[in-house]
Amino acid sequence: MKPSRFPFALLPLAAAARGGSFRGLSHIATEIFSFPPTNPIFIENLFVLPDARLLLTSFVHFGPDTNSPLHILNPVTSSVSVVTTLPNSTSQTGIAKLSGANRYAVTAGILGDNFEFLNNTVNVYVVSLGWDASSATVVDTIPVPGVISANGLVAVGNVVLSADSRGGRILRVDTVTRTSSVAFADPLLFGDPANVSGSLGITGVNGLFLKRHGGQRWVYFTNSARGVYGRFKVNSLGHKVGRVEVLMTATSDDPVGFTNSLDDLVVDGDTDGYIAWQDRSLLKVKRYNNGTTAQTVVLGPGGVATGNTGITLKTPTSVALGLDGGHIYVGTGGAVAGNLTGGQVVKVTI
Protein backbone atom coordinates (compact mmCIF):
# COMPACT_ATOMS: atom_id res chain seq x y z
CA MET A 1 0.00 0.00 0.00
CA LYS A 2 1.33 3.43 -0.89
CA PRO A 3 0.73 5.91 1.92
CA SER A 4 -1.02 9.20 1.29
CA ARG A 5 0.97 12.40 1.63
CA PHE A 6 0.63 14.68 4.62
CA PRO A 7 1.04 18.43 3.98
CA PHE A 8 4.07 18.79 6.22
CA ALA A 9 7.73 17.87 6.15
CA LEU A 10 9.04 14.42 6.94
CA LEU A 11 10.67 13.96 10.30
CA PRO A 12 14.36 13.04 10.36
CA LEU A 13 14.64 9.28 10.19
CA ALA A 14 17.51 8.97 12.67
CA ALA A 15 16.00 8.33 16.08
CA ALA A 16 17.32 9.66 19.34
CA ALA A 17 18.41 6.85 21.63
CA ARG A 18 16.75 6.35 24.96
CA GLY A 19 18.27 2.98 25.70
CA GLY A 20 21.39 1.06 24.74
CA SER A 21 22.32 -0.06 21.28
CA PHE A 22 24.35 -2.88 19.77
CA ARG A 23 26.11 -3.69 16.54
CA GLY A 24 26.29 -7.28 15.44
CA LEU A 25 25.37 -9.43 12.46
CA SER A 26 25.29 -6.12 10.49
CA HIS A 27 22.35 -4.88 12.55
CA ILE A 28 22.09 -1.94 14.93
CA ALA A 29 19.27 -1.82 17.48
CA THR A 30 18.17 1.18 19.55
CA GLU A 31 15.31 1.47 22.00
CA ILE A 32 13.55 4.71 21.17
CA PHE A 33 10.59 4.56 23.54
CA SER A 34 9.08 2.55 26.36
CA PHE A 35 5.98 3.07 28.43
CA PRO A 36 6.80 3.25 32.16
CA PRO A 37 5.66 0.53 34.59
CA THR A 38 3.20 3.08 35.98
CA ASN A 39 1.50 3.10 32.57
CA PRO A 40 2.18 -0.45 31.34
CA ILE A 41 0.54 -0.24 27.93
CA PHE A 42 0.81 -3.41 25.84
CA ILE A 43 1.70 -2.35 22.28
CA GLU A 44 -0.11 -4.67 19.91
CA ASN A 45 0.61 -3.11 16.53
CA LEU A 46 2.33 -0.15 14.93
CA PHE A 47 2.05 1.65 11.61
CA VAL A 48 4.54 4.12 10.13
CA LEU A 49 2.88 7.31 8.87
CA PRO A 50 4.10 9.29 5.84
CA ASP A 51 5.87 11.78 8.16
CA ALA A 52 7.74 8.92 9.92
CA ARG A 53 5.69 9.04 13.10
CA LEU A 54 4.06 5.83 14.30
CA LEU A 55 0.48 4.96 15.15
CA LEU A 56 0.32 2.49 18.05
CA THR A 57 -2.54 0.23 19.03
CA SER A 58 -2.71 -1.18 22.54
CA PHE A 59 -4.01 -4.65 23.30
CA VAL A 60 -4.33 -3.87 27.00
CA HIS A 61 -4.37 -0.24 28.11
CA PHE A 62 -5.22 -0.78 31.80
CA GLY A 63 -7.69 2.07 31.77
CA PRO A 64 -10.83 2.23 33.93
CA ASP A 65 -13.26 2.91 31.08
CA THR A 66 -14.26 1.55 27.68
CA ASN A 67 -12.67 4.26 25.55
CA SER A 68 -9.31 2.82 24.60
CA PRO A 69 -6.61 5.35 23.57
CA LEU A 70 -4.97 5.40 20.13
CA HIS A 71 -1.39 6.65 20.45
CA ILE A 72 1.06 8.35 18.12
CA LEU A 73 4.82 8.21 18.68
CA ASN A 74 7.45 10.66 17.45
CA PRO A 75 10.61 8.53 17.09
CA VAL A 76 12.91 11.56 17.05
CA THR A 77 11.77 13.13 20.32
CA SER A 78 10.69 9.81 21.88
CA SER A 79 7.38 11.45 22.80
CA VAL A 80 3.99 9.82 22.69
CA SER A 81 0.51 11.29 22.79
CA VAL A 82 -3.10 10.15 22.53
CA VAL A 83 -4.67 11.30 19.25
CA THR A 84 -8.15 9.93 19.91
CA THR A 85 -10.04 7.26 21.81
CA LEU A 86 -12.10 4.42 20.37
CA PRO A 87 -15.49 4.27 22.12
CA ASN A 88 -16.86 0.99 23.46
CA SER A 89 -13.51 -0.76 23.36
CA THR A 90 -10.82 -1.79 25.84
CA SER A 91 -8.45 -3.52 23.40
CA GLN A 92 -7.09 -2.67 19.95
CA THR A 93 -5.38 -4.93 17.43
CA GLY A 94 -4.73 -4.25 13.72
CA ILE A 95 -4.09 -1.05 11.75
CA ALA A 96 -4.42 -0.59 7.98
CA LYS A 97 -4.26 2.39 5.61
CA LEU A 98 -7.46 2.94 3.63
CA SER A 99 -7.85 4.71 0.30
CA GLY A 100 -8.18 8.47 0.54
CA ALA A 101 -6.26 11.03 2.49
CA ASN A 102 -5.27 10.24 6.06
CA ARG A 103 -7.85 7.48 6.66
CA TYR A 104 -6.98 4.40 8.70
CA ALA A 105 -8.87 1.33 9.90
CA VAL A 106 -8.36 -0.05 13.41
CA THR A 107 -9.92 -3.20 14.85
CA ALA A 108 -10.92 -3.09 18.51
CA GLY A 109 -13.41 -4.48 21.01
CA ILE A 110 -13.98 -5.27 24.67
CA LEU A 111 -11.46 -7.80 25.95
CA GLY A 112 -12.68 -10.85 27.84
CA ASP A 113 -10.82 -13.93 29.05
CA ASN A 114 -8.09 -15.87 27.23
CA PHE A 115 -7.23 -12.99 24.89
CA GLU A 116 -10.71 -13.09 23.37
CA PHE A 117 -13.10 -10.25 22.68
CA LEU A 118 -16.57 -10.43 24.14
CA ASN A 119 -18.94 -11.59 21.43
CA ASN A 120 -20.47 -8.83 19.31
CA THR A 121 -18.12 -6.13 20.64
CA VAL A 122 -15.67 -6.15 17.72
CA ASN A 123 -15.73 -3.12 15.43
CA VAL A 124 -13.68 -1.69 12.60
CA TYR A 125 -13.07 1.96 13.45
CA VAL A 126 -12.39 4.34 10.57
CA VAL A 127 -10.07 7.04 11.87
CA SER A 128 -9.22 10.28 10.08
CA LEU A 129 -6.01 12.01 11.11
CA GLY A 130 -5.92 15.80 11.28
CA TRP A 131 -3.77 17.82 8.89
CA ASP A 132 -0.74 17.62 11.20
CA ALA A 133 -1.63 14.24 12.73
CA SER A 134 -1.71 15.77 16.20
CA SER A 135 -5.32 14.65 16.59
CA ALA A 136 -7.72 12.22 14.98
CA THR A 137 -11.45 11.72 14.60
CA VAL A 138 -13.41 8.48 14.53
CA VAL A 139 -15.57 8.98 11.44
CA ASP A 140 -17.24 5.57 11.36
CA THR A 141 -17.69 2.47 13.52
CA ILE A 142 -18.53 -0.73 11.62
CA PRO A 143 -19.74 -3.73 13.65
CA VAL A 144 -18.28 -7.17 13.00
CA PRO A 145 -20.88 -9.43 14.67
CA GLY A 146 -20.41 -13.00 15.82
CA VAL A 147 -16.64 -12.66 16.19
CA ILE A 148 -14.45 -13.05 19.28
CA SER A 149 -11.11 -12.53 17.55
CA ALA A 150 -9.95 -9.88 15.08
CA ASN A 151 -6.18 -9.69 14.91
CA GLY A 152 -3.87 -8.59 12.07
CA LEU A 153 -5.34 -6.24 9.47
CA VAL A 154 -4.60 -5.27 5.84
CA ALA A 155 -6.49 -3.07 3.38
CA VAL A 156 -7.18 -3.49 -0.33
CA GLY A 157 -8.55 -0.08 -1.22
CA ASN A 158 -11.43 0.43 1.18
CA VAL A 159 -11.87 -3.27 1.95
CA VAL A 160 -10.06 -4.61 5.02
CA LEU A 161 -9.13 -8.22 5.73
CA SER A 162 -8.82 -9.24 9.36
CA ALA A 163 -7.32 -12.37 10.89
CA ASP A 164 -9.87 -14.32 12.93
CA SER A 165 -7.35 -16.16 15.08
CA ARG A 166 -9.90 -18.28 16.92
CA GLY A 167 -12.02 -19.21 13.92
CA GLY A 168 -9.18 -19.95 11.48
CA ARG A 169 -10.73 -17.51 9.05
CA ILE A 170 -10.08 -14.30 7.18
CA LEU A 171 -12.81 -11.72 7.71
CA ARG A 172 -13.71 -9.19 5.03
CA VAL A 173 -15.13 -5.76 5.91
CA ASP A 174 -16.14 -3.24 3.25
CA THR A 175 -15.79 0.18 4.86
CA VAL A 176 -17.89 1.83 2.14
CA THR A 177 -20.92 -0.46 2.26
CA ARG A 178 -20.30 -1.08 6.00
CA THR A 179 -20.77 -4.85 5.58
CA SER A 180 -18.76 -7.71 7.04
CA SER A 181 -18.45 -11.34 5.98
CA VAL A 182 -16.17 -14.36 6.14
CA ALA A 183 -13.78 -14.16 3.20
CA PHE A 184 -12.65 -17.77 3.63
CA ALA A 185 -11.52 -20.40 6.12
CA ASP A 186 -8.59 -22.77 5.71
CA PRO A 187 -7.01 -25.53 7.85
CA LEU A 188 -3.69 -23.68 7.67
CA LEU A 189 -5.28 -20.75 9.52
CA PHE A 190 -6.51 -22.75 12.51
CA GLY A 191 -4.64 -23.10 15.79
CA ASP A 192 -3.50 -26.41 17.23
CA PRO A 193 -4.64 -26.71 20.86
CA ALA A 194 -3.75 -30.39 20.98
CA ASN A 195 -0.09 -29.65 20.33
CA VAL A 196 0.67 -26.71 22.62
CA SER A 197 -0.19 -25.35 26.05
CA GLY A 198 -1.39 -21.90 27.02
CA SER A 199 -4.00 -19.66 25.45
CA LEU A 200 -1.94 -19.05 22.30
CA GLY A 201 -2.42 -22.74 21.55
CA ILE A 202 -5.77 -21.86 20.04
CA THR A 203 -4.47 -18.74 18.32
CA GLY A 204 -4.16 -19.57 14.65
CA VAL A 205 -3.72 -16.92 11.95
CA ASN A 206 -2.30 -13.83 13.63
CA GLY A 207 -0.30 -11.23 11.68
CA LEU A 208 -1.18 -10.11 8.14
CA PHE A 209 0.90 -8.10 5.66
CA LEU A 210 -0.03 -7.08 2.12
CA LYS A 211 2.70 -7.06 -0.53
CA ARG A 212 2.56 -6.58 -4.31
CA HIS A 213 4.72 -8.73 -6.60
CA GLY A 214 4.57 -8.19 -10.35
CA GLY A 215 1.08 -6.71 -10.23
CA GLN A 216 -0.22 -9.47 -7.93
CA ARG A 217 -1.40 -8.86 -4.37
CA TRP A 218 -0.13 -11.32 -1.78
CA VAL A 219 -1.22 -11.42 1.84
CA TYR A 220 1.48 -12.89 4.08
CA PHE A 221 0.43 -14.35 7.42
CA THR A 222 1.64 -16.07 10.55
CA ASN A 223 -0.05 -18.86 12.50
CA SER A 224 0.96 -18.61 16.15
CA ALA A 225 0.08 -22.09 17.34
CA ARG A 226 1.55 -23.91 14.36
CA GLY A 227 4.59 -21.71 13.82
CA VAL A 228 3.65 -21.21 10.17
CA TYR A 229 4.69 -18.35 7.90
CA GLY A 230 2.66 -18.42 4.69
CA ARG A 231 0.77 -16.43 2.10
CA PHE A 232 -2.24 -16.31 -0.19
CA LYS A 233 -3.14 -14.19 -3.22
CA VAL A 234 -6.08 -11.75 -3.33
CA ASN A 235 -7.70 -9.75 -6.13
CA SER A 236 -8.60 -6.07 -6.25
CA LEU A 237 -11.75 -6.71 -4.21
CA GLY A 238 -9.91 -8.57 -1.46
CA HIS A 239 -11.12 -12.05 -2.47
CA LYS A 240 -8.69 -14.98 -2.28
CA VAL A 241 -7.27 -16.31 -5.54
CA GLY A 242 -5.76 -19.79 -5.51
CA ARG A 243 -4.56 -21.77 -2.51
CA VAL A 244 -2.89 -20.91 0.80
CA GLU A 245 0.87 -21.57 0.70
CA VAL A 246 3.22 -22.46 3.56
CA LEU A 247 6.59 -20.75 3.18
CA MET A 248 8.12 -21.89 6.47
CA THR A 249 7.35 -23.74 9.67
CA ALA A 250 9.30 -22.40 12.64
CA THR A 251 11.95 -24.57 14.22
CA SER A 252 13.31 -24.07 17.70
CA ASP A 253 14.70 -25.89 20.69
CA ASP A 254 11.37 -25.11 22.35
CA PRO A 255 8.00 -26.24 21.04
CA VAL A 256 5.85 -23.59 19.44
CA GLY A 257 3.55 -22.35 22.16
CA PHE A 258 2.51 -19.49 24.37
CA THR A 259 6.04 -18.19 24.98
CA ASN A 260 7.38 -19.07 21.55
CA SER A 261 4.92 -18.00 18.88
CA LEU A 262 4.99 -16.06 15.64
CA ASP A 263 3.11 -12.75 15.81
CA ASP A 264 2.90 -9.80 13.41
CA LEU A 265 5.22 -9.42 10.42
CA VAL A 266 6.46 -7.36 7.50
CA VAL A 267 7.88 -8.49 4.16
CA ASP A 268 10.89 -6.71 2.69
CA GLY A 269 11.90 -7.13 -0.94
CA ASP A 270 10.18 -10.09 -2.53
CA THR A 271 9.54 -12.60 0.25
CA ASP A 272 11.99 -11.92 3.09
CA GLY A 273 9.89 -11.85 6.23
CA TYR A 274 10.66 -10.13 9.53
CA ILE A 275 8.51 -11.60 12.28
CA ALA A 276 7.96 -10.68 15.93
CA TRP A 277 8.61 -13.96 17.77
CA GLN A 278 7.06 -13.98 21.23
CA ASP A 279 8.58 -13.80 23.66
CA ARG A 280 11.98 -14.42 22.22
CA SER A 281 13.25 -12.29 19.42
CA LEU A 282 13.01 -10.71 16.00
CA LEU A 283 13.16 -13.41 13.35
CA LYS A 284 14.15 -13.06 9.69
CA VAL A 285 13.01 -15.66 7.17
CA LYS A 286 15.00 -15.55 3.94
CA ARG A 287 13.27 -17.22 0.99
CA TYR A 288 15.35 -18.28 -1.99
CA ASN A 289 14.31 -18.65 -5.62
CA ASN A 290 14.17 -22.43 -5.30
CA GLY A 291 11.55 -22.13 -2.55
CA THR A 292 13.79 -23.02 0.38
CA THR A 293 13.99 -20.79 3.45
CA ALA A 294 16.54 -19.96 6.10
CA GLN A 295 15.81 -18.53 9.55
CA THR A 296 18.02 -15.94 11.25
CA VAL A 297 17.52 -14.36 14.66
CA VAL A 298 18.17 -10.66 14.06
CA LEU A 299 17.62 -9.57 17.65
CA GLY A 300 17.78 -12.15 20.40
CA PRO A 301 17.50 -15.02 21.19
CA GLY A 302 15.53 -15.06 24.39
CA GLY A 303 14.76 -11.39 23.89
CA VAL A 304 18.29 -10.29 24.86
CA ALA A 305 20.23 -8.37 22.23
CA THR A 306 23.34 -9.85 20.68
CA GLY A 307 26.34 -8.17 22.30
CA ASN A 308 24.79 -8.14 25.77
CA THR A 309 24.32 -4.37 25.75
CA GLY A 310 21.15 -4.30 27.81
CA ILE A 311 18.42 -4.14 25.15
CA THR A 312 15.74 -6.70 25.88
CA LEU A 313 12.72 -7.24 23.68
CA LYS A 314 9.90 -7.36 26.20
CA THR A 315 7.45 -9.70 24.46
CA PRO A 316 7.77 -8.64 20.80
CA THR A 317 4.38 -8.34 19.15
CA SER A 318 4.71 -6.28 15.97
CA VAL A 319 7.03 -4.94 13.29
CA ALA A 320 6.85 -2.13 10.71
CA LEU A 321 9.16 -1.02 7.90
CA GLY A 322 10.73 2.41 8.20
CA LEU A 323 10.25 4.85 5.35
CA ASP A 324 13.87 4.58 4.22
CA GLY A 325 13.66 0.81 3.84
CA GLY A 326 16.83 0.43 5.87
CA HIS A 327 15.32 -0.28 9.25
CA ILE A 328 12.27 -1.69 10.97
CA TYR A 329 10.49 -0.88 14.19
CA VAL A 330 9.64 -3.61 16.69
CA GLY A 331 6.78 -3.09 19.14
CA THR A 332 6.50 -5.08 22.35
CA GLY A 333 3.91 -5.90 24.95
CA GLY A 334 6.09 -5.02 27.90
CA ALA A 335 6.59 -8.18 29.93
CA VAL A 336 9.76 -10.07 30.80
CA ALA A 337 9.55 -13.47 32.51
CA GLY A 338 6.07 -12.61 33.74
CA ASN A 339 7.09 -9.26 35.21
CA LEU A 340 4.86 -6.50 33.83
CA THR A 341 6.70 -3.44 32.56
CA GLY A 342 5.71 -1.15 29.70
CA GLY A 343 5.58 -1.82 25.99
CA GLN A 344 8.53 -0.51 23.99
CA VAL A 345 9.51 0.44 20.44
CA VAL A 346 12.94 -0.66 19.20
CA LYS A 347 14.52 0.46 15.92
CA VAL A 348 16.63 -2.17 14.13
CA THR A 349 18.66 -1.68 10.94
CA ILE A 350 18.23 -4.37 8.29
Side-chain angles (χ1 to χ4, degrees), residues 36-93:
T38 54
N39 187 25
I41 287 178
F42 185 112
I43 298 172
E44 171 64 15
N45 225 315
L46 40 81
F47 191 98
V48 181
L49 298 173
D51 72 335
R53 285 186 284 182
L54 284 74
L55 275 180
L56 310 177
T57 58
S58 54
F59 190 65
V60 184
H61 74 278
F62 300 99
D65 56 28
T66 55
N67 294 278
S68 62
L70 184 65
H71 293 86
I72 193 168
L73 168 66
N74 185 322
V76 174
T77 62
S78 296
S79 59
V80 70
S81 59
V82 175
V83 291
T84 191
T85 58
L86 306 185
N88 302 314
S89 72
T90 61
S91 178
Q92 306 162 4
T93 50

Side-chain angles (χ1 to χ4, degrees), residues 247-265:
L247 301 178
M248 178 215 71
T249 300
T251 58
S252 171
D253 293 337
D254 301 320
V256 175
F258 183 78
T259 60
N260 182 14
S261 61
L262 304 179
D263 206 321
D264 282 292
L265 76 159

